[in-house]
Amino acid sequence: MPQPEDGANRQGVRHIEIDAEQAGRRLDQFLLKLFGTLPRSRVYRLVRKGEVRVNGHRADPAQRLALHDKVRIPPVRLEPEGGPRRVPRPLLERLRTAIIIEEARLLVIDKPSGIAVHGGSGVSFGVIEVLRALRPEDSLELVHRLDRDTSGCLLVARKASALRTLHALLREGQFEKRYLALVKGHWRHGRTRIDVPLRTDLRPLEFFGKRATLMEVSLHTGRTHQIRVHAAHSGHPLAGDEKYGDADFNREVAALGLKRMFLHAHSVGFEWPQGGAFSASAPLPADLAAIVDLLTSERGRARLHGKA
């Protein structure tokens, strides 16, 4: 093997045959796990340029790998362990303590707000990169995603077979996610289902006069910004939502101390096809709980109405 260049590890061309555990995984996910420290943009560039091939043919990053497929891996320069892309220890510890459930097939993370689920677009490390650094022996993949600002339950598969099962449950609507959200105004629709174009169930939990309502929102899909779009569509946008929200309402709740979008994934649940129910929950984090406490107080209600 050639000697490392400038402290980097460079391997020659390899051909990897896909086994039963890897079958069904997307090509990009397979490569990101294989290369580890290589930036996502470089991985996608290798595929686009045809340096990565499947069974001798050019491939698409989203292509699903099949059992016994042969993947050509080009020579690349990898930073050695402990190189410049090493995950900072405080971030490692923060995610280590965020693991709330650990089973043979999956991990459940109470994701802190402010941490992206994966690196890229100026973010060096997301949840998945940190977890892979913590658990190098596992084959970890995100089951679903949460916005960077959103806190709460995030599922990570420890095996490719578990990932395939959970993705199938998501596609079939057999995977329920419940969120807590603070919305503008007094919700007058009762328990409501919105289907424009995807199903969202909304149920009011607590009213704060005419200005805000704490809602429980249930999803059976996982489309980007679905809750935010449906809340805005109903005339009750989320507190702190800078893209779909109401600017005046956002200023009012910011005066109470809200520094991010009020959206928390508080529970997930599904049935394993092999049998057995699974559920997990994460309590409302301190920053959002403080806003609820303040809204229930006379002082908070006065401030929300602009009287203090």
Side-chain angles (χ1 to χ4, degrees), residues 36-55:
T37 60
L38 202 66
R40 293 175 64 89
S41 59
R42 177 72 195 288
V43 171
Y44 283 96
R45 188 160 62 247
L46 289 171
V47 178
R48 288 196 305 269
K49 291 174 64 178
E51 294 185 56
V52 173
R53 291 179 175 261
V54 178
N55 300 324

Side-chain angles (χ1 to χ4, degrees), residues 75-284:
V76 295
R77 291 166 57 89
L78 301 177
E79 294 293 343
E81 186 175 354
R85 288 182 57 81
R86 187 174 184 179
V87 181
R89 182 170 296 277
L91 188 55
L92 286 170
E93 291 304 314
R94 191 175 185 191
L95 266 296
R96 190 196 307 276
T97 59
I99 299 173
I100 55 176
I101 293 179
E102 178 175 349
E103 294 192 351
R105 290 174 285 191
L106 60 82
L107 301 174
V108 181
I109 312 301
D110 184 0
K111 187 187 87 65
S113 174
I115 301 179
V117 294
H118 59 71
S121 301
V123 178
S124 297
F125 302 103
V127 170
I128 192 63
E129 288 84 11
V130 178
L131 291 177
R132 285 170 179 164
L134 284 170
R135 304 291 185 90
E137 71 283 0
D138 286 346
S139 181
L140 299 177
E141 299 289 352
L142 292 165
V143 174
H144 59 105
R145 300 185 180 189
L146 296 175
D147 288 343
R148 184 172 182 174
D149 271 359
T150 304
S151 54
C153 292
L154 178 69
L155 268 59
V156 178
R158 300 181 71 184
K159 298 180 179 180
S161 55
L163 183 69
R164 291 193 297 271
T165 297
L166 293 171
H167 279 177
L169 292 175
L170 280 168
R171 289 193 300 270
E172 296 163 4
Q174 302 300 313
F175 190 111
E176 186 174 57
K177 295 175 284 184
R178 294 179 183 268
Y179 294 75
L180 296 176
L182 185 71
V183 302
K184 176 186 177 182
H186 183 95
W187 183 270
R188 298 184 183 277
H189 310 299
R191 187 165 188 162
T192 302
R193 175 173 296 174
I194 299 177
D195 294 294
V196 284
L198 301 166
R199 175 180 168 187
T200 304
D201 295 323
L202 303 101
R203 180 171 68 96
L205 297 178
E206 189 171 357
F207 297 100
F208 306 106
K210 297 181 180 180
R211 297 302 295 156
T213 307
L214 182 66
M215 306 288 297
E216 181 184 69
V217 187
S218 299
L219 294 184
H220 298 269
T221 61
R223 299 295 179 88
T224 302
H225 298 177
Q226 181 178 339
I227 293 176
R228 299 163 65 184
V229 171
H230 282 188
H233 176 84
S234 71
H236 298 272
L238 263 63
D241 187 342
E242 295 183 357
K243 184 171 184 178
Y244 304 103
D246 179 274
D248 291 337
F249 180 57
N250 286 346
R251 282 192 290 271
E252 291 174 1
V253 290
L256 299 179
L258 184 65
K259 297 180 180 179
R260 53 119 162 172
M261 184 169 59
F262 196 120
L263 186 61
H264 175 70
H266 83 94
S267 70
V268 294
F270 59 87
E271 291 273 350
W272 288 108
Q274 302 85 354
F278 178 88
S279 64
S281 62
L284 200 63

